[in-house]
Amino acid sequence: MKAAMLTKSTFAGARLAIKAASRRSASMRIGARAEVGLFYSTSTGNTEAAADWISQKFEGDISDPTDIGEIDVDDLTEYSSLIVGAPTWNTGADEGRSGTAWDEVLDEIKDLDLSGKKVAVFGCGDSSSYGDYFCDAIEEVYSAMKSAGATMVGSVATDGYDFSESKSVIDGKFCGLPLDEDNESDMTEDRIAAWCAQISGEGLA
Ligand SMILES: Cc1cc2nc3c(=O)[nH]c(=O)nc-3n(C[C@H](O)[C@H](O)[C@H](O)COP(=O)(O)O)c2cc1C
């Protein structure tokens, strides 16, 4: 009886030790990830499609595009750098302009430690119908990542965009890459290719 109990507890102990070791090795694997994390959110699919383009155009190790609503935001710290994208909805609101999962996680992201990581933001909007609020959500994601200590890259000149106002214009430039699938979808591929080359040149890897 005693021998049986000993054997049982020995097995249980061994199982726990194996589980702990596998957790340790999983976190070591993730912690050592030399890979750019690619995250987005979407309501009607445009930002997801843009993320797919980026995963194809970016030269370097990059994760599969993943909906930000599907991860624990702490996992963002496991990547070498981040490329993140948000659509803009909720016109006229002061904040929560993405209208997607980003709105739920931005406060949590501000409390992360992303120092030493480069982060670039892209977004989808409509520069014609919503030209006074064009791609506002880029700024919200940008500011949260910056608050977390990230080094922000990937700002884009406003030349070539036809819009009136955007809170994503900081110091005369967009603080990320705006894309307009509603009016300028023919420009998206080239804009993404140029931006991917730009952020690589800015050291995002
Ligand atoms: C009701 C509504 C509100 C919108 N508000 C904005 C806006 O304030 N600013 C903007 O740039 N685009 C706005 N858009 C356009 C969307 O952001 C655009 O279609 C975008 O590509 C959607 O991306 P998604 O498919 O990834 O959700 C709005 C669209 C609709 C239908």
Side-chain angles (χ1 to χ4, degrees), residues 53-60 62 83 118 120 153-156 177 188-205:
W53 274 115
I54 289 169
S55 72
Q56 290 171 42
K57 300 280 179 195
F58 185 80
E59 286 184 12
I62 189 162
I83 301 176
K118 296 205 166 147
V153 299
S155 63
V156 167
L177 172 69
T188 296
E189 185 178 354
D190 286 350
R191 282 174 170 165
I192 284 175
W195 188 68
C196 284
Q198 176 191 330
I199 60 178
S200 288
E202 291 174 322
L204 189 147

Side-chain angles (χ1 to χ4, degrees), residues 123-140:
C124 288
D126 178 339
S127 59
S128 175
S129 302
Y130 299 94
D132 287 339
Y133 310 92
F134 181 46
C135 282
D136 279 354
I138 290 178
E139 183 276 334
E140 293 186 357

